[in-house]
Amino acid sequence: MNSPTSGSLEPRKAPVQKRSKATVEAILEATVQVLLRDGAEKLTTRRIAERAGVSVGTLYQYAPSKEALLYALVSRHLDLTASAVEQACRTSHGRTLMQCSDAFVTAYVDAKAADPEVSRALYHATSRFDMTELVDAAFGRLYNAAHALLDGANDAVIKDIDHVVFSWVAIVAGGTRQIIEGADTVERFPAFRCQLVKICRAYLETVRIRE
Amino acid sequence: MNSPTSGSLEPRKAPVQKRSKATVEAILEATVQVLLRDGAEKLTTRRIAERAGVSVGTLYQYAPSKEALLYALVSRHLDLTASAVEQACRTSHGRTLMQCSDAFVTAYVDAKAADPEVSRALYHATSRFDMTELVDAAFGRLYNAAHALLDGANDAVIKDIDHVVFSWVAIVAGGTRQIIEGADTVERFPAFRCQLVKICRAYLETVRIRE
Amino acid sequence: MNSPTSGSLEPRKAPVQKRSKATVEAILEATVQVLLRDGAEKLTTRRIAERAGVSVGTLYQYAPSKEALLYALVSRHLDLTASAVEQACRTSHGRTLMQCSDAFVTAYVDAKAADPEVSRALYHATSRFDMTELVDAAFGRLYNAAHALLDGANDAVIKDIDHVVFSWVAIVAGGTRQIIEGADTVERFPAFRCQLVKICRAYLETVRIRE
Amino acid sequence: MNSPTSGSLEPRKAPVQKRSKATVEAILEATVQVLLRDGAEKLTTRRIAERAGVSVGTLYQYAPSKEALLYALVSRHLDLTASAVEQACRTSHGRTLMQCSDAFVTAYVDAKAADPEVSRALYHATSRFDMTELVDAAFGRLYNAAHALLDGANDAVIKDIDHVVFSWVAIVAGGTRQIIEGADTVERFPAFRCQLVKICRAYLETVRIRE
DNA sequence: GATGAATGAGCCTTCATTCAT
DNA sequence: TATGAATGAAGGCTCATTCAT
């Protein structure tokens, strides 16, 4: 899932020791905090280090660059989401179309909603720093998972499956982002989740070929 | 629609004279150009002024800050979109639910797809510089338009209309953004548009109360 | 005489206006001053700007990098020296071997001794920042000039002229540098100059083939 | 030979134990290696320690600072050269002027040419970090040795001996440096050495008073 | 003694913004 | 009114040096 463009985006040293591990975690956590409180604009290495309670030097001992920090953070987050969705798809493989739909939607939404603040911060990071590759890779995984899932539904065949998958993922991911980045995230989320389930059921119902 | 955080985001002088107006236009246009060609990263006042064929000094005569430039640009873009959607909603007021759905969806999508590159650039700008208020205001308009539209459908009453509107707008706007910011915008767009129409029809169908 | 390695080492803007020209001059002069007073170690852009009485920003308006500053300075200095020597060689072309020797030696030494402080500063700069190309180019000019000069002497033919030129230039340039970088530059220089003249006469006398 | 400006430049602990001595040696050797391979630009304590196979902490146990390392290195190198020259002078004491000349020149040149790469690296180091005192001290020894040597020549008395010694040493040392720092060190060196011998003979011949 | 994680001063450079011409 | 030279705060990052383990 990694393919750095220039210069390493990999952590500089493996956090073998406990202390180090904690430091790395603190730095990543601080990055999110700063992103959240001060915005991507003010996300400076000094602020990150400060919030993490370490010096800039220490920060650079673990991350080769500011960009790499975001890269790591986003990579991890996307991986978590993709994994959760893949897992759900595997579990629901062979069930009914409606069950598949629900599984996919709730897995994705719940993954993003688990920590909406973090999700929001990383949405910011993603569009500020070019992370196209990371995002594309993650979406590739989602497409594959969704494709396999629909293919395996035990009570349906999907017409025009490629377009369906593409559009389905788009509205699930895009809709979710819309909510999370929006003004009143938390309160509205449960209702949206509920509606999104309906939307997807309704949609897939229309593109199925009953068997 | 404006409520700047600090300092005015309004143009410094009203472009009463023709020349002024042209200059303002050139500057805004240049801003988009730079955004498009060089990316948000390299969007500097010097570049903008250069591309616009004026000096930095002149630029600052018409815009109080770089941020204001983006603000104006995004504001205008969002306004265009919202207006297009409002127009479509007005036109389709009192028609069937399906007609309403199609009208809303296609109006929104087409507004964004008219110049996908510009849309993409402005998505970037939006998340780079905090423009929450602008975005929220625009969404407010969309919500209102959608609400009125559904309310006026001549063959349906919508259950739980607030949540429906909220979620509907979310997937339309979010899905569209997803596509536009994605890797292969242009090719995939028509197919997505087509599916999105289906998705919304199917959804609204399920939340209607037939009359 | 210029062949920058990476990134431009050329001045960023041509100093067309008087003010600009003065600024550029002040910056270059300041660079020498800092080099002299604080040493190459402490040659920072901030110090240079400070001493020049301008801001760092201004400094960077005229020089794309700190390295370029040194590059320009050294380039100019080497060019002055080489030009002076070439001129002297041209003037003495066709005279006696002893006259040629004297002309070359005094031209070189006097060029370097004109402002020993500056010469010293630039010796430092030269070995601190890689300016091999500049130095090599300048030496190339010296070799050529010396070669032509000896070739044109009206009362001698030189044995093994390549080696002679090479060694001759080496001791003239090297000896001069030694003195200038040494502890008591000023006092000792005249005596050295006088001896160097003798040295070179004696040497060339031994490698001549009388005609 | 040492009179540091601030802080001691002496090793922190006398390397009484064998292991210590070996460590010190490894560190110094590593310093040269890094200087040679990576250049003075990249001569960092971390790299030195790494190459020496010790930790930075250990490095600082034996050297009070990076500068001290270079100081020690240069000091040793200059001492070697000066010693070699002194030895040669002692050996040739009382011989003919020409023999004395040859002895001095070849001793110096050969000392520097023994490992031209190291010499070159240390020339760099010398002008990078202010080592005036070290260099001056070394030259003092050379002057004394040369003075005594000429004084003791069995077939000549030198006119104006102070100036002669000064200039003689200057061209020998300066010329040699010129070659070693130049582009094509190795190939040209033998020829230069040969010419330098001639130059010095010719020179001293002209300043002798035959007895 | 040895280690290497942590420190933080300080470096080079950019760029939004101002203001004298 | 237009210009663009000048400003200087601020950013990312390095590296000599220290000190708890």
Side-chain angles (χ1 to χ4, degrees), chain C residues 117-136:
Chain C
E117 295 299 278
V118 169
S119 293
R120 195 207 305 241
L122 295 184
Y123 277 132
H124 274 180
T126 304
S127 51
R128 188 176 182 74
F129 306 89
D130 183 36
M131 303 195 149
T132 318
E133 295 175 13
L134 235 36
V135 172
D136 286 353

Side-chain angles (χ1 to χ4, degrees), chain A residues 13 19 23 54-55 57-58 61-62:
Chain A
K13 68 170 66 168
R19 175 94 159 295
T23 303
V54 301
S55 66
T58 297
Q61 199 134 33
Y62 295 102

Side-chain angles (χ1 to χ4, degrees), chain D residues 127-179:
Chain D
S127 51
R128 236 186 143 68
F129 308 88
D130 182 38
M131 301 190 154
T132 317
E133 298 170 14
L134 233 37
V135 172
D136 286 352
F139 271 94
R141 290 173 62 185
L142 293 183
Y143 291 142
N144 290 337
H147 201 293
L149 184 68
L150 293 188
D151 250 357
N154 69 7
D155 62 347
V157 165
I158 301 298
K159 265 186 302 193
D160 211 3
I161 191 163
D162 272 330
H163 286 150
V164 167
V165 164
F166 182 68
S167 306
W168 186 30
V169 171
I171 63 158
V172 170
T176 302
R177 173 171 190 172
Q178 201 66 45
I179 305 302

